[in-house]
Amino acid sequence: MGKTQYFTATSIDGFIADQDNSLDWLFQADANGESAGGQQYRAFFEQVGAIAAGSTTYEWVLEHEQMLEKPEKWPYHGTPCWIFTHRQLPAVPGADITFVHGDVQAVHQQMAAAAGDRNIWLVGGGDLVGQFADHGLLDEIMLSVAPATLGGGAPLLPRTLLPGELALTGCRADGPFACLTYAVRVRRGDDPLCAS
Ligand SMILES: NC(=O)c1ccc[n+]([C@@H]2O[C@H](COP(=O)([O-])OP(=O)(O)OC[C@H]3O[C@@H](n4cnc5c(N)ncnc54)[C@H](OP(=O)(O)O)[C@@H]3O)[C@@H](O)[C@H]2O)c1
């Protein structure tokens, strides 16, 4: 079974969108195209077998990319997506999208079955990822930290995960971004990371 990963860009002060749900600050960060982000994203995405996102994130993609009018632009064709919402939202024509609500555990089982040996990508937002973490279903956090502070907005991960629960496993510069990877230590006695 693959990993369940939260892969996202964030501001220095821990927001993944500003108070207007805008990502302009993120696009500005790499305006000069100095990062190898696209290449790294492709390598990451090749290993993804299932995707989950909350409704704000989904609606941002619908609106920003005019996805209902241009469904061929849907970036995840061939990869099943689970969108969490209590509402009835339009599906992108031809996309493999399942709308779900409530407990993330059962959905995670479906996602793991679909993903097989590949990874599960939790796109966000932060509270949805927190719901997976609450159930010990988050294995890895992969961050591209942009050189920006926003002072408010959509939180990266509104949960308490203390140093004993997170291990830094990767740290490198990519153009203007700091790329950080953390393993999330599961809270089980049999986990080797918890042995010391
Ligand atoms: N920086 C980045 O790389 C990055 C990555 C991802 C997202 N983003 C942005 O960050 C923002 C995230 O927005 P957000 O914080 O509002 O998070 P979100 O997870 O995208 O949306 C939250 C909504 O998802 C639904 N939801 C969450 N958990 C649910 C559950 N268990 N059952 C049913 N529905 C559930 C609820 O919507 P309903 O009202 O529909 O029930 C909730 O209001 C967006 O603007 C997005 O574009 C940025």
Side-chain angles (χ1 to χ4, degrees):
M1 184 171 149
K3 294 177 187 171
T4 299
Q5 299 169 309
Y6 182 25
F7 174 88
T8 190
T10 178
S11 68
I12 291 172
D13 54 345
F15 297 102
I16 60 171
D18 74 12
Q19 295 178 9
D20 300 318
N21 267 330
S22 168
L23 298 182
D24 287 353
W25 54 277
L26 180 56
F27 301 130
Q28 283 169 24
D30 196 27
N32 296 331
E34 294 166 53
S35 91
Q39 203 180 323
Q40 276 143 16
Y41 171 79
R42 279 189 291 281
F44 162 79
F45 190 70
E46 272 174 18
Q47 302 303 316
V48 170
I51 293 172
S55 65
T56 313
T57 299
Y58 176 67
E59 288 186 295
W60 185 92
V61 177
L62 287 190
E63 191 179 329
H64 192 258
E65 299 292 339
Q66 299 169 302
M67 209 57 82
L68 296 178
E69 296 77 31
K70 300 173 187 166
E72 67 281 3
K73 289 178 73 180
W74 179 248
Y76 311 128
H77 278 299
T79 307
C81 298
W82 281 260
I83 304 299
F84 283 81
T85 183
H86 298 94
R87 295 172 291 140
Q88 283 211 316
L89 296 177
V92 176
D96 184 349
I97 293 176
T98 306
F99 294 102
V100 288
H101 64 269
D103 187 359
V104 299
Q105 288 177 98
V107 177
H108 187 267
Q109 281 181 7
Q110 294 171 32
M111 295 179 75
D117 290 340
R118 292 199 285 166
N119 298 323
I120 292 173
W121 179 18
L122 306 179
V123 180
D127 181 71
L128 178 62
V129 175
Q131 294 171 49
F132 285 82
D134 293 342
H135 293 288
L137 297 174
L138 178 63
D139 299 316
E140 197 163 65
I141 299 171
M142 305 169 77
L143 305 178
S144 292
V145 183
T149 62
L150 301 175
L156 170 64
L157 184 51
R159 292 296 189 276
T160 303
L161 290 173
L162 296 173
E165 294 161 280
L166 295 174
L168 182 67
T169 56
C171 176
R172 61 185 169 76
D174 177 24
F177 296 97
C179 299
L180 306 174
T181 303
Y182 296 90
V184 181
R185 301 168 192 238
V186 291
R187 293 167 214 177
R188 284 198 313 259
D190 59 352
D191 175 45
L193 279 173
C194 297
S196 55

